[in-house]
Coordinates of all heavy atoms in Angstrom, one line a residue:
Y179 N 68.6 -39.7 -13.4 CA 68.2 -41.2 -13.6 C 68.4 -41.6 -15.1 O 68.3 -42.8 -15.4 CB 66.8 -41.5 -13.2 CG 65.7 -40.6 -13.8 CD1 65.1 -40.9 -15.0 CD2 65.3 -39.4 -13.1 CE1 64.1 -40.1 -15.5 CE2 64.3 -38.6 -13.6 CZ 63.7 -39.0 -14.8 OH 62.7 -38.2 -15.3
Y180 N 68.7 -40.7 -16.0 CA 68.6 -41.1 -17.4 C 69.7 -42.1 -17.8 O 69.4 -43.0 -18.6 CB 68.7 -39.9 -18.3 CG 67.9 -40.1 -19.6 CD1 66.6 -40.0 -19.7 CD2 68.6 -40.5 -20.8 CE1 65.8 -40.3 -20.8 CE2 67.9 -40.8 -21.9 CZ 66.5 -40.7 -21.9 OH 65.8 -41.0 -23.1
I181 N 70.9 -42.0 -17.3 CA 71.9 -43.0 -17.6 C 71.5 -44.4 -17.2 O 71.7 -45.4 -17.9 CB 73.3 -42.6 -17.0 CG1 73.8 -41.3 -17.6 CG2 74.3 -43.7 -17.1 CD1 75.0 -40.7 -16.9
D182 N 71.0 -44.6 -16.0 CA 70.7 -45.9 -15.4 C 69.3 -46.4 -15.7 O 69.1 -47.6 -15.8 CB 71.0 -45.9 -13.9 CG 72.4 -45.6 -13.6 OD1 73.3 -46.2 -14.3 OD2 72.7 -44.8 -12.7
F183 N 68.3 -45.5 -15.8 CA 66.9 -45.9 -15.9 C 66.2 -45.3 -17.1 O 65.1 -45.5 -17.3 CB 66.2 -45.4 -14.6 CG 66.6 -46.1 -13.3 CD1 67.6 -45.5 -12.6 CD2 66.1 -47.3 -12.9 CE1 68.0 -46.1 -11.4 CE2 66.6 -47.9 -11.8 CZ 67.5 -47.3 -11.0
R184 N 67.0 -44.6 -18.0 CA 66.4 -44.0 -19.1 C 65.2 -43.1 -18.7 O 65.4 -42.3 -17.8 CB 66.1 -45.0 -20.2 CG 67.3 -45.7 -20.8 CD 68.3 -44.7 -21.4 NE 69.6 -45.4 -21.8 CZ 70.7 -44.7 -22.0 NH1 70.7 -43.4 -22.0 NH2 71.8 -45.4 -22.4
N185 N 64.1 -43.3 -19.3 CA 62.9 -42.5 -19.0 C 62.1 -43.0 -17.8 O 61.0 -42.5 -17.6 CB 62.1 -42.3 -20.2 CG 61.5 -43.6 -20.7 OD1 62.1 -44.7 -20.5 ND2 60.4 -43.6 -21.4
E186 N 62.5 -44.1 -17.2 CA 61.7 -44.7 -16.2 C 61.9 -44.1 -14.8 O 62.5 -44.7 -13.9 CB 62.0 -46.2 -16.1 CG 61.6 -46.9 -17.4 CD 61.8 -48.4 -17.3 OE1 60.8 -49.0 -16.8 OE2 62.8 -48.9 -17.6
R187 N 61.3 -42.9 -14.6 CA 61.4 -42.2 -13.3 C 60.8 -43.0 -12.2 O 61.3 -43.0 -11.1 CB 60.7 -40.8 -13.4 CG 61.0 -40.0 -12.2 CD 60.2 -38.7 -12.1 NE 60.6 -37.7 -13.0 CZ 60.1 -36.5 -13.0 NH1 59.1 -36.2 -12.2 NH2 60.5 -35.6 -13.9
K188 N 59.7 -43.8 -12.4 CA 59.1 -44.5 -11.4 C 60.0 -45.6 -10.8 O 60.2 -45.8 -9.6 CB 57.8 -45.1 -11.8 CG 57.1 -45.9 -10.7 CD 55.7 -46.4 -11.1 CE 55.0 -47.0 -9.9 NZ 55.7 -48.1 -9.2
K189 N 60.7 -46.3 -11.8 CA 61.6 -47.3 -11.4 C 62.8 -46.8 -10.6 O 63.3 -47.3 -9.6 CB 62.2 -48.0 -12.6 CG 62.8 -49.4 -12.4 CD 63.0 -50.1 -13.8 CE 64.0 -51.2 -13.6 NZ 64.5 -51.7 -14.9
Y190 N 63.3 -45.6 -11.0 CA 64.3 -44.9 -10.2 C 63.9 -44.6 -8.8 O 64.6 -44.8 -7.9 CB 64.7 -43.6 -11.0 CG 65.4 -42.5 -10.3 CD1 66.7 -42.7 -9.9 CD2 64.7 -41.4 -10.0 CE1 67.4 -41.6 -9.2 CE2 65.3 -40.3 -9.3 CZ 66.7 -40.5 -8.9 OH 67.3 -39.4 -8.2
L191 N 62.6 -44.1 -8.7 CA 62.1 -43.8 -7.4 C 61.9 -45.0 -6.5 O 62.2 -45.0 -5.3 CB 60.8 -42.9 -7.5 CG 61.1 -41.5 -7.9 CD1 59.8 -40.9 -8.5 CD2 61.4 -40.7 -6.6
D192 N 61.3 -46.0 -7.1 CA 61.1 -47.3 -6.4 C 62.4 -47.8 -5.8 O 62.4 -48.2 -4.6 CB 60.5 -48.4 -7.3 CG 59.0 -48.2 -7.6 OD1 58.3 -47.6 -6.7 OD2 58.5 -48.7 -8.6
N193 N 63.4 -47.8 -6.6 CA 64.7 -48.3 -6.1 C 65.5 -47.4 -5.2 O 66.5 -47.9 -4.6 CB 65.6 -48.7 -7.4 CG 65.1 -50.0 -8.0 OD1 65.4 -51.1 -7.5 ND2 64.3 -49.9 -9.0
F194 N 65.1 -46.1 -5.1 CA 65.8 -45.2 -4.2 C 65.8 -45.7 -2.8 O 66.8 -45.6 -2.1 CB 65.0 -43.9 -4.3 CG 65.4 -42.8 -3.3 CD1 66.7 -42.2 -3.4 CD2 64.6 -42.3 -2.4 CE1 67.1 -41.2 -2.6 CE2 65.0 -41.3 -1.5 CZ 66.2 -40.8 -1.6
F195 N 64.8 -46.4 -2.4 CA 64.6 -46.9 -1.0 C 65.6 -47.9 -0.6 O 65.8 -48.2 0.6 CB 63.2 -47.3 -0.7 CG 62.3 -46.1 -0.7 CD1 61.7 -45.6 -1.8 CD2 62.2 -45.3 0.5 CE1 60.9 -44.4 -1.8 CE2 61.4 -44.2 0.6 CZ 60.8 -43.7 -0.6
Q196 N 66.3 -48.6 -1.6 CA 67.3 -49.6 -1.2 C 68.6 -48.8 -0.7 O 69.5 -49.5 -0.1 CB 67.6 -50.5 -2.3 CG 68.2 -49.8 -3.6 CD 68.6 -50.8 -4.6 OE1 69.7 -51.4 -4.7 NE2 67.7 -51.1 -5.5
C197 N 68.7 -47.5 -1.0 CA 69.9 -46.8 -0.6 C 69.7 -45.7 0.4 O 70.6 -44.8 0.6 CB 70.6 -46.2 -1.8 SG 71.3 -47.5 -2.9
V198 N 68.5 -45.6 1.0 CA 68.3 -44.4 1.9 C 69.1 -44.5 3.1 O 69.2 -45.6 3.8 CB 66.7 -44.3 2.2 CG1 66.5 -43.3 3.3 CG2 66.0 -43.9 1.0
N199 N 69.7 -43.4 3.5 CA 70.5 -43.3 4.7 C 69.5 -42.9 5.9 O 69.4 -41.7 6.2 CB 71.6 -42.3 4.6 CG 72.5 -42.2 5.8 OD1 72.2 -42.7 6.8 ND2 73.6 -41.6 5.6
W200 N 68.9 -43.9 6.5 CA 67.9 -43.6 7.5 C 68.5 -43.0 8.8 O 67.8 -42.3 9.5 CB 67.1 -44.9 7.9 CG 66.2 -45.2 6.7 CD1 66.3 -46.3 5.8 CD2 65.0 -44.5 6.3 NE1 65.3 -46.3 4.9 CE2 64.5 -45.2 5.2 CE3 64.3 -43.4 6.8 CZ2 63.3 -44.7 4.5 CZ3 63.2 -42.9 6.1 CH2 62.7 -43.6 5.0
R201 N 69.8 -43.2 9.0 CA 70.4 -42.5 10.1 C 70.5 -41.0 9.9 O 70.2 -40.2 10.8 CB 71.9 -43.0 10.4 CG 71.9 -44.3 11.2 CD 73.3 -44.7 11.6 NE 73.4 -46.1 11.5 CZ 74.1 -46.7 10.5 NH1 74.7 -46.1 9.6 NH2 74.1 -48.1 10.5
F202 N 70.7 -40.6 8.7 CA 70.7 -39.2 8.3 C 69.3 -38.6 8.4 O 69.1 -37.5 9.0 CB 71.3 -39.0 6.9 CG 71.3 -37.7 6.3 CD1 72.2 -36.7 6.7 CD2 70.3 -37.3 5.3 CE1 72.2 -35.4 6.2 CE2 70.3 -36.0 4.8 CZ 71.3 -35.1 5.2
V203 N 68.3 -39.4 8.0 CA 66.9 -38.9 8.1 C 66.5 -38.7 9.6 O 65.9 -37.8 9.9 CB 66.0 -39.9 7.4 CG1 64.5 -39.4 7.5 CG2 66.4 -40.1 5.9

Side-chain angles (χ1 to χ4, degrees):
Y179 55 88
Y180 209 81
I181 291 171
D182 298 315
F183 296 93
R184 295 302 173 196
N185 60 333
E186 294 187 84
R187 187 190 286 186
K188 183 176 185 303
K189 199 169 163 191
Y190 160 74
L191 281 157
D192 280 335
N193 282 281
F194 174 65
F195 288 90
Q196 63 176 272
C197 288
V198 169
N199 184 346
W200 288 108
R201 274 187 221 108
F202 178 75
V203 182

